[in-house]
Amino acid sequence: MSWRRWLLVGVLALGFLSALAVFGRALRHSEAYFHYPRPQAVRPADFAEAQDVSLRTEDGLTLRGWYVPSRNGAAVVLAHGLSQTRADLLPEAQILRAAGYGVLLFDLRAHGESEGAFSTWGDLERRDVRAALAFVRAQPDVDPERVGALGFSIGSAAVAEVAAQDSAVRAVVLLSPFNTLWLAAAYDFRRFGAVSQAGALVPFWRRGIALDEVRTIDAVEHIRPRPLLIVMGTEESGQPLADELFAKVREYAQTWRIQGAGHGSFSVTEPEAYPRRLTDFLDAALLPRGSAASEAR
């Protein structure tokens, strides 16, 4: 074999090994997303009136949560993000409880005290949200026609998908949503193109997660004309994707990009405006006009 052929073989071998290394590194990093700590949620002293509840999903999992009864006939289901527990949405829950809303906080599958082997980033979590909505609608203190849902990150993906199919979800709040599950899984691995992105997707494929079915950017079209609020921080990754989502819903949704905020913790960045805007949105969507609760704010 001539030296030119040896050189070509060497270059090809080096390229293959480099691609394999990139693929493997992305796979390892992505696989780590499925191996997170599972702490139990700690109920704070000022949330003592919350009731311990259990939910049963359509695929037979038991989910654990807290429920605060409604004082105004309306209620909101809250779904947290990846590697979190129900306690991570306590700031939102306390805002809504103070405004009189019934609040259901619960651990998504494979989080906190809930059953489940692994998170599916909004895919099977759709079943969790449906179980949560069924629970709230069955409560004697709640008018089932005045129920909303709020989700953060992967929780927002599940909420958006369920609300797109369930018109009885009267108001939707999406905090730090991603456009599609495929992009959420692969976006941070885009530097080396298809090789690194394919590696990042392997952990999802091998778990049977429906990457092509969870598409918030399409689900929002089926939520309209019901009230929709989308909140994101200016310091979150994927700002071009946020631009795309915000442009799509501009004509029919309320949107707010909080200056200086990262992935969540919006009540810390905007301690006055965030509670006000959240309650104003839900009051307009879920409380009858002229009611004492709506007139009080």
Side-chain angles (χ1 to χ4, degrees):
M1 184 181 294
S2 69
W3 68 268
R4 290 186 179 86
R5 290 186 178 180
W6 277 115
L7 179 61
L8 178 60
V9 169
V11 169
L12 291 175
L14 181 61
F16 174 77
L17 291 174
S18 298
L20 189 62
V22 168
F23 180 92
R25 185 171 184 272
L27 191 157
R28 288 193 303 275
H29 279 244
S30 184
E31 179 66 29
Y33 292 145
F34 295 93
H35 303 277
Y36 44 80
R38 290 186 57 173
Q40 291 188 7
V42 177
R43 177 165 38 200
D46 62 353
F47 212 65
E49 79 275 26
Q51 306 165 3
D52 291 319
V53 300
S54 295
L55 316 175
R56 193 71 171 173
T57 67
E58 59 202 65
D59 55 342
L61 296 182
T62 298
L63 312 178
R64 306 294 182 185
W66 297 323
Y67 178 66
V68 176
S70 176
R71 303 193 313 274
N72 62 14
V76 183
V77 165
L78 285 72
H80 62 75
L82 183 70
S83 75
Q84 296 185 339
T85 71
R86 68 192 99 153
D88 285 273
L89 287 179
L90 274 167
E92 285 74 15
Q94 290 167 328
I95 291 167
L96 299 179
R97 177 195 62 173
Y101 288 93
V103 177
L104 176 62
L105 286 165
F106 67 102
D107 295 332
L108 291 168
R109 63 182 58 215
H111 288 82
E113 296 180 82
S114 291
E115 295 179 344
F118 53 85
S119 170
T120 65
W121 286 49
D123 177 13
L124 296 183
E125 285 78 6
R126 290 177 283 184
R127 300 174 181 179
D128 303 351
V129 172
R130 286 196 286 267
L133 288 167
F135 174 89
V136 167
R137 288 168 180 159
Q139 299 311 299
D141 49 277
V142 174
D143 178 350
E145 294 299 315
R146 294 200 283 145
V147 173
L150 176 153
F152 170 69
S153 194
I154 70 164
S156 75
V159 163
E161 289 291 328
V162 171
Q165 301 296 320
D166 183 355
S167 62
V169 180
R170 297 303 187 187
V172 179
V173 180
L174 305 180
L175 306 179
S176 299
F178 48 76
N179 290 12
T180 70
L181 178 49
W182 192 99
L183 283 171
Y187 187 79
D188 288 339
F189 298 91
R190 66 194 182 282
R191 180 180 178 186
F192 295 104
V195 173
S196 55
Q197 289 184 318
L201 294 176
V202 168
F204 293 82
W205 287 328
R206 77 180 189 85
R207 288 174 171 85
I209 297 173
L211 287 166
D212 295 329
E213 291 184 14
V214 182
R215 299 181 56 84
T216 300
I217 199 163
D218 295 333
V220 291
E221 286 290 307
H222 300 284
I223 294 171
R224 69 185 304 188
R226 287 168 286 154
L228 171 63
L229 170 65
I230 302 178
V231 182
M232 297 187 71
T234 59
E235 302 308 305
E236 300 194 55
S237 65
Q239 291 298 315
L241 303 180
D243 293 341
E244 182 183 0
L245 179 60
F246 278 33
K248 183 161 189 175
V249 303
R250 182 180 296 121
E251 295 181 1
Y252 58 88
Q254 295 184 37
T255 59
W256 184 19
R257 200 156 352 187
I258 298 179
Q259 189 67 37
H263 195 56
S265 299
F266 300 139
S267 62
V268 175
T269 309
E270 287 284 359
E272 294 183 5
Y274 181 63
R276 183 180 66 251
R277 291 188 66 160
L278 186 58
T279 52
D280 285 351
F281 169 78
L282 290 168
D283 286 353
L286 298 178
L287 299 186
R289 292 186 179 181
S291 68
S294 65
E295 292 297 322
R297 285 187 294 278

